Amino acid sequence: MPEGPEIRRAADRIAAVLEGRRVETVRVGLPRLQKVAAQLQGHRVQAVETRGKAMLVHFEHGLTVYSHNQLYGVWRVVSGHALPESRRSLRLLLQTATDSAILYSASDISVWPVEELGLHPFLARLGPDIMAADLAWRTIAQRLQSPQFTGRKLASLYLDQGFLAGIGNYLRSEILHAASLHPLRRAASLSPGERGRLARATLAISRRSYHTGGVTLAAPLARSLQRRALEWEQRRFAVFGRAESPCYRCGSRIVRREFNSRRLYFCPVCQVE
């Protein structure tokens, strides 16, 4: 499932062809959306926003298209009106005079009056968006001390969209490794220094992934590994997907565990419980 950085990058691409432009053609692939297609056609897109793993396309007349890619959804942007060949199911097509934005395979799509977005069952429970430009590390550190979160294990907390929106499986493993914290530590057990370290790592790793297109390693290490011609997954992540491979920090073997039916990776030496 794409995480916050991937959704934000997709939103950037869509914004580049839709924002400020009139949508001349709307096609939908879900019968329940047929009625709203006519409500969107002919109106300008005002902004494209993300909230965690959800995308919001705001129209000038007060309607917003909500979409969540879930496991299989994917946005594509193409120049012109000729659609690319695809075995995926077209769910939503928004075309301007010059470009097309296409959402394939997703099923969680709906249209809302902008003033009612706070009532959306997913959006209503989201914590701060990890990709928000104004999110500060101190806000994350404070949330780690909140009564609703402090008793939770980090492995669980860092997949809770109510804590922070946009973090998923790979970011969780990478953030906790960068902060040198074991996934089974509870937020309540963290010292002030550890909370600050974790909060800063949360922002740094998420934003690095956004800027690099999915690489969470620091640039010097990523370049060094690329020169060694390592496979993409080995030079993209510090721990995620690297079970039994050596930790780039200490050389110990990366461990994979299942936690709540989700795979989790960490270094048993750098991240002592």
Side-chain angles (χ1 to χ4, degrees):
M1 180 186 294
E3 302 182 21
E6 289 75 36
I7 297 299
R8 184 63 253 174
R9 287 174 68 89
D12 291 346
R13 295 192 295 271
I14 294 164
V17 301
L18 291 187
E19 279 189 359
R21 295 173 173 83
R22 191 181 308 279
V23 173
E24 298 186 350
T25 301
V26 179
R27 281 173 50 193
V28 295
L30 298 171
R32 58 182 170 77
L33 295 178
Q34 291 294 341
K35 292 182 180 180
V36 300
Q39 295 178 283
L40 302 176
Q41 192 161 310
H43 293 279
R44 293 184 185 275
V45 171
Q46 188 174 56
V48 180
E49 177 191 3
T50 59
R51 296 189 191 177
K53 302 177 187 179
M55 189 181 300
L56 304 173
V57 180
H58 301 291
F59 283 76
E60 61 181 351
H61 62 316
L63 290 182
T64 294
V65 177
Y66 163 95
S67 65
H68 193 298
N69 284 20
Q70 299 174 301
L71 285 175
Y72 303 111
V74 61
W75 280 95
R76 293 282 184 264
V77 172
V78 296
S79 179
H81 293 169
L83 302 187
E85 292 186 10
S86 177
R87 294 182 179 180
R88 292 176 174 268
S89 300
L90 186 150
R91 299 301 195 190
L92 178 66
L93 170 67
L94 302 175
Q95 286 183 328
T96 67
T98 57
D99 299 281
S100 302
I102 317 150
L103 177 56
Y104 291 107
S105 302
S107 58
D108 190 4
I109 309 169
S110 53
V111 178
W112 292 70
V114 67
E115 66 273 11
E116 296 181 13
L117 284 173
L119 302 176
H120 189 284
F122 178 75
L123 298 178
R125 66 180 182 85
L126 291 182
D129 182 359
I130 194 62
M131 297 311 302
D134 60 351
L135 179 61
W137 71 266
R138 287 184 176 85
T139 299
I140 300 173
Q142 289 169 357
R143 292 180 73 77
L144 286 165
Q145 299 179 79
S146 172
Q148 68 186 112
F149 302 128
T150 190
R152 303 271 299 280
K153 293 178 180 178
L154 297 178
S156 171
L157 184 59
Y158 263 69
L159 289 184
D160 184 348
Q161 301 303 293
F163 172 62
L164 289 172
I167 294 179
N169 224 26
Y170 86 78
L171 281 178
R172 171 181 65 167
S173 291
E174 294 296 290
I175 289 167
L176 294 178
H177 180 265
S180 300
L181 293 171
H182 195 281
L184 299 186
R185 289 278 302 275
R186 295 186 185 273
S189 75
L190 303 180
S191 68
E194 288 174 327
R195 283 196 300 271
R197 191 168 73 229
L198 177 56
R200 289 183 177 91
T202 300
L203 286 182
I205 295 297
S206 300
R207 290 172 178 174
R208 183 183 296 160
S209 183
Y210 165 73
H211 288 298
T212 62
V215 177
T216 62
L217 295 176
L221 176 56
R223 288 194 296 267
S224 174
L225 297 175
Q226 186 172 13
R227 287 194 293 269
R228 291 163 51 186
L230 266 67
E231 294 182 1
W232 167 244
E233 294 300 326
Q234 291 293 316
R235 54 186 173 84
R236 176 185 182 189
F237 296 131
V239 291
F240 188 80
R242 299 189 60 243
E244 299 302 320
S245 298
C247 172
Y248 293 130
R249 187 185 296 161
C250 73
S252 301
R253 296 291 175 179
I254 301 301
V255 173
R256 170 178 169 160
R257 293 285 185 268
E258 296 293 322
F259 189 86
N260 290 345
S261 300
R262 303 288 297 277
R263 56 188 175 133
L264 177 67
Y265 299 85
F266 62 94
C267 172
V269 174
C270 294
Q271 298 168 261
V272 179
E273 186 173 0

